[in-house]
Amino acid sequence: MSDSELPEDSQGLSSGKAPLDLLAAVFEASRDPRVLQGPGIGLDAAAVEWGDRALVATSDPITFVEGNAGRLAVAVNANDIYAVGAEPEWMLATVLTPTGVEPTEIEALLTDLASACEDAGIGLIGGHTEITDAVTRTVVSCTMIGSAPTGRIIPSDGARHGDAVVQAGAAAVEGTAILGYPRLLEEPGISIAAAARALREVDGVHAMHDVTEGGIATAALELAEAAGLSPALVFDDIVWLPETLAVCEEHDLDPLGLLGSGTLLAAVSPDAVDRALSELSRAAVQASAIGQVAARSPATLRFGGQTGPLPRFVRDEALRAFDDVRRSTQ
């Protein structure tokens, strides 16, 4: 039974993102005319008109893992800024650690955060660090701020009927890394900077979306549904690392729903696909056209010559793997 099918007498929600229907019920369009992009499903970052530039902001926590949490926090927050065509510039970090933590652990985490910001050219301008019994493992929650010329913002909900879905960066790199292949955090890494910078120069790129929890399938649904469309993907066209397919087979996971930081999806006009792929190749980014988006059609996945519904992962497959490990050790 999936999380979305929990019975009425359920004990509550499982770990992971809050249900989309719960979030959608409280989202409202901003009444401030300066807000170019506000809250919404599949919208990577907020954008606010600020003179002749757009101020772009996002906020994301790292809760899955503690190792490399500082560097991961910088990367996943910066990715949201890149995904709307902007450049990250400043970051604030809130670090919550459980009681009993060693001072050296806090020092190492903060050093990691500062080093990752410096490497990315991002100013670490503030935040808060606290030791608290409210958490049982370290949580790093960051706010990233960036900017772009107002006319260069690529709206997250800009996909158009008939656009191709272009994948930039291999799928599920982050999930694969934390499930047994940590070297992948270094190469190919989980930053979408090179991909986003290449695609934002291509006329005909109508929308971009950073893949995170729920994997490439959920991200494709969010990219399309933000514009009132539906995606149709072809599994065999998706770029996978062999390590991803191996770890998914080992843990009986569906790679389509595995944590996907490091992958960028773009809705691209059909006549701009070749140029988009060429620019991504020039930037040394693995890429592929993996489907399309359309109006008034179901979300589908073609796999092995057969077409069926494209699954939506309410809960990331990495979390399911962690739960299986915990149960096996109890």
Side-chain angles (χ1 to χ4, degrees):
M1 179 178 292
S2 71
D3 292 349
S4 61
E5 299 170 331
L6 289 171
E8 292 183 2
D9 60 352
S10 165
Q11 296 302 305
L13 298 172
S14 300
S15 57
K17 284 186 177 181
L20 298 185
D21 55 352
L22 175 63
L23 297 176
V26 299
F27 283 155
E28 290 185 4
S30 174
R31 295 182 178 87
D32 187 335
R34 295 172 297 175
V35 176
L36 304 175
Q37 179 164 291
I41 306 301
L43 307 188
D44 283 303
V48 180
E49 188 175 352
W50 205 261
D52 62 350
R53 297 186 68 79
L55 192 67
V56 180
T58 189
S59 182
D60 252 325
I62 295 295
T63 58
F64 283 9
V65 294
E66 294 186 58
N68 297 305
R71 194 157 291 270
L72 286 171
V74 174
V76 300
N77 280 277
N79 282 351
D80 282 346
I81 304 294
Y82 291 126
V84 295
E87 286 288 319
E89 299 181 60
W90 308 283
M91 192 181 80
L92 297 95
T94 296
V95 176
L96 304 178
T97 69
T99 55
V101 66
E102 294 293 335
T104 53
E105 293 180 48
I106 297 178
E107 181 180 11
L109 173 57
L110 296 179
T111 299
D112 189 37
L113 266 172
S115 174
C117 283
E118 183 176 358
D119 290 347
I122 296 166
L124 182 57
I125 61 172
H128 178 79
T129 303
E130 183 173 333
I131 301 152
T132 173
D133 60 8
V135 298
T136 57
R137 62 176 182 268
T138 299
V139 173
V140 182
S141 183
C142 297
T143 295
M144 188 77 74
I145 303 168
S147 71
T150 302
R152 297 295 299 274
I153 293 295
I154 299 175
S156 301
D157 59 357
R160 302 178 188 177
H161 172 74
D163 278 352
V165 177
V166 171
Q167 172 195 358
V173 170
E174 185 180 9
T176 305
I178 65 177
L179 290 176
Y181 295 89
R183 59 181 172 76
L184 297 179
L185 293 176
E186 297 298 326
E187 182 60 42
I190 62 168
S191 173
I192 62 167
R197 288 168 178 159
L199 286 173
R200 73 190 184 195
E201 300 302 323
V202 177
D203 288 337
V205 173
H206 297 144
M208 300 193 296
H209 187 40
D210 171 36
V211 180
T212 54
E213 286 185 52
I216 196 166
T218 303
L221 286 161
E222 291 174 348
L223 175 73
E225 291 173 354
L229 305 172
S230 298
L233 301 188
V234 180
F235 184 92
D236 290 340
D237 290 338
I238 297 173
V239 180
W240 303 103
L241 296 177
E243 295 90 340
T244 298
L245 299 179
V247 79
C248 286
E249 182 175 359
E250 177 186 352
H251 292 280
D252 191 26
L253 305 176
D254 189 333
L256 290 165
L258 186 58
L259 190 61
S261 293
T263 306
L264 178 65
L265 295 184
V268 182
S269 173
D271 59 8
V273 170
D274 287 345
R275 186 180 170 207
L277 293 176
S278 176
E279 292 297 323
L280 289 166
S281 176
R282 187 175 291 114
V285 176
Q286 286 184 287
S288 175
I290 63 171
Q292 64 178 10
V293 294
R296 298 180 298 278
S297 62
T300 61
L301 174 72
R302 187 171 184 180
F303 180 75
Q306 296 185 331
T307 300
L310 179 66
R312 184 191 303 271
F313 293 84
V314 177
R315 193 160 185 257
D316 196 278
E317 288 288 85
L319 284 172
R320 188 162 70 83
F322 292 156
D323 283 350
D324 289 346
V325 169
R326 291 191 192 101
R327 281 194 290 268
S328 69
T329 58
Q330 288 176 350

